[in-house]
Amino acid sequence: MSTIANIFKNKSKKPVISFEIFPPKRDELLKNIDATLAVLADMHPDFISVTFGAGGSVTNSATVEIASKIKKLGIESVAHLTCLNYSKAEILTMIRNLEANGIENILALRGDRNPNVPPKHDFAHACDLIKFVRENSSLSISAACYPEGHPEAESRVSDIRHLKEKVDAGATHLISQLFFDNDIFYRFQENVKIAGIDLPVDAGIMPVVNKAQIERMITLCGASLPVKFQKILTRYENDKVALFDAGMAYAVNQIIDLIASGVDGIHIYTMNNPRIADKLTSAIKNLF
Ligand code: FAD
């Protein structure tokens, strides 16, 4: 179909809208993914990305299977690929598996450190993976970026320098970590441009719809919570229905402001919940 960079080039009116899903952990749930995919595809996103590596899996077969199903529904897909815990030979096998299944786009990641899985030392950073993929295939490569800086980064400046290395190595599109304060994203966009990075940047939006999710997310990615967002949590954290509505409304407001400010793309972390994707896309369908 098309590379992600071409989708951005060819779309007459911004933003590009994309969803992210993850492979369900158990095999029987994997079978149920078809229904979720059919509903998501009906919303006609520009692409859907599929995560990789949850639960310490050692192959990318579930990711590839789902990314391939997405393409069969007429939607472009992006398969995530992490490298920290894999050898070059293993990554090469995964690249060939992607190609054999007709996948054209990957999101090349280092992956999080897992204290129970020792790294293999063939790849230290995502830029090493990007170089390796570039040298060994014609897959189109996206990379991750962090508006508030990656939690392990020495500073935001060093993080953006390392982002530039990923771009120089061959990434052609960036997807941001989730954030709740658009001003942080706008500052990041400026800094990225100052660093000489001229690629489409997707704003990662995760609607907060339950308390456990908020706690998990803050521990994992360290996104800062603006006061107006904290007020919502304090007021509604024990009221499931109200928190869902308030979380969706907050995400819609974020997206409207991003579109009005000319963002390249909106990447919605759907958490495999078509209701979330549907509510958000319906709320913004007349805005672009
Ligand atoms: P890198 O770009 O390698 O950066 C990691 C750290 O190293 C940063 O602090 C950076 O500043 C520093 N660094 C980078 N290059 C260098 C260098 N050359 N020298 C010194 N320091 C350097 N994880 C999964 O396991 N599966 C997924 O599917 C997945 N999907 C994701 C999707 C998105 C949109 C995002 C934002 C993250 C995703 N993650 C996923 C999480 C990701 O794997 C972690 O955030 C991981 O800790 C960093 O990955 P990276 O590719 O950004 O790493």
Side-chain angles (χ1 to χ4, degrees):
M1 276 191 283
S2 188
T3 64
I4 301 306
N6 277 338
I7 290 177
F8 278 89
K9 265 189 219 137
N10 297 336
K11 186 146 183 178
S12 53
K13 215 166 162 202
K14 287 199 285 190
V16 164
I17 299 289
S18 58
F19 298 153
E20 180 169 308
I21 60 168
F22 54 86
K25 279 193 182 137
R26 294 201 314 272
D27 280 356
E28 65 268 31
L29 289 177
L30 192 53
K31 286 180 196 136
N32 296 340
I33 197 81
D34 290 356
T36 305
L37 293 181
V39 181
L40 291 177
D42 260 1
M43 291 172 218
H44 306 293
D46 293 294
F47 68 90
I48 300 179
S49 81
V50 189
T51 67
F52 167 59
S57 57
V58 287
T59 74
N60 62 345
S61 60
T63 299
V64 173
E65 188 183 331
I66 296 173
S68 170
K69 281 172 189 269
I70 292 167
K71 285 194 77 127
K72 287 183 187 131
L73 291 167
I75 307 285
E76 193 45 81
S77 67
V78 175
H80 297 203
L81 181 64
T82 69
C83 60
L84 193 62
N85 299 327
Y86 301 100
S87 65
K88 284 187 175 171
E90 286 167 325
I91 291 288
L92 198 55
T93 304
M94 291 194 248
I95 291 173
R96 297 292 171 251
N97 189 24
L98 288 159
E99 292 168 339
N101 283 277
I103 311 299
E104 291 168 73
N105 302 286
I106 63 158
L107 177 63
L109 299 147
R110 185 198 70 179
D112 279 322
R113 294 183 195 285
N114 179 342
N116 304 316
V117 184
K120 292 245 166 105
H121 303 298
D122 273 3
F123 302 94
H125 303 288
C127 63
D128 304 325
L129 174 64
I130 294 169
K131 270 185 220 135
F132 186 77
V133 174
R134 183 77 309 129
E135 285 162 9
N136 288 285
S137 81
S138 57
L139 289 165
S140 168
I141 306 171
S142 303
C145 61
Y146 300 82
E148 302 189 54
H150 182 268
E152 291 169 35
E154 278 166 34
S155 67
R156 286 189 195 180
V157 172
S158 75
D159 205 36
I160 290 190
R161 285 199 182 121
H162 294 314
L163 183 61
K164 179 78 166 64
E165 288 166 9
K166 297 201 267 194
V167 176
D168 292 343
T172 53
H173 157 238
L174 303 173
I175 305 183
S176 94
Q177 179 61 284
L178 60 96
F179 59 90
F180 298 104
D181 182 342
N182 286 1
D183 287 340
I184 291 177
F185 183 77
Y186 298 140
R187 256 197 314 279
F188 173 72
Q189 277 184 314
E190 284 172 9
N191 290 334
V192 158
K193 289 215 167 75
I194 291 167
I197 297 171
D198 191 19
L199 294 184
V201 183
D202 271 331
I205 297 293
M206 180 180 278
V208 167
V209 293
N210 72 61
K211 196 177 165 184
Q213 171 207 0
I214 300 161
E215 285 158 1
R216 201 172 51 242
M217 197 184 58
I218 294 168
T219 325
L220 276 179
C221 77
S224 58
L225 302 179
V227 173
K228 63 180 176 180
F229 187 83
Q230 287 177 27
K231 283 186 188 160
I232 292 176
L233 297 187
T234 308
R235 181 156 180 130
Y236 300 118
E237 64 182 347
N238 296 317
D239 182 336
K240 262 175 139 172
V241 177
L243 183 59
F244 184 92
D245 286 351
M248 294 303 294
Y250 190 93
V252 168
N253 277 333
Q254 260 194 294
I255 294 173
I256 292 171
D257 180 60
L258 287 161
I259 295 175
S261 304
V263 72
D264 298 314
I266 306 278
H267 186 69
I268 299 170
Y269 295 100
T270 68
M271 293 158 286
N272 291 16
N273 184 340
R275 200 171 143 225
I276 289 176
D278 182 38
K279 280 214 159 208
L280 290 186
T281 48
S282 311
I284 60 169
K285 69 174 187 290
N286 297 322
L287 302 184
F288 57 95

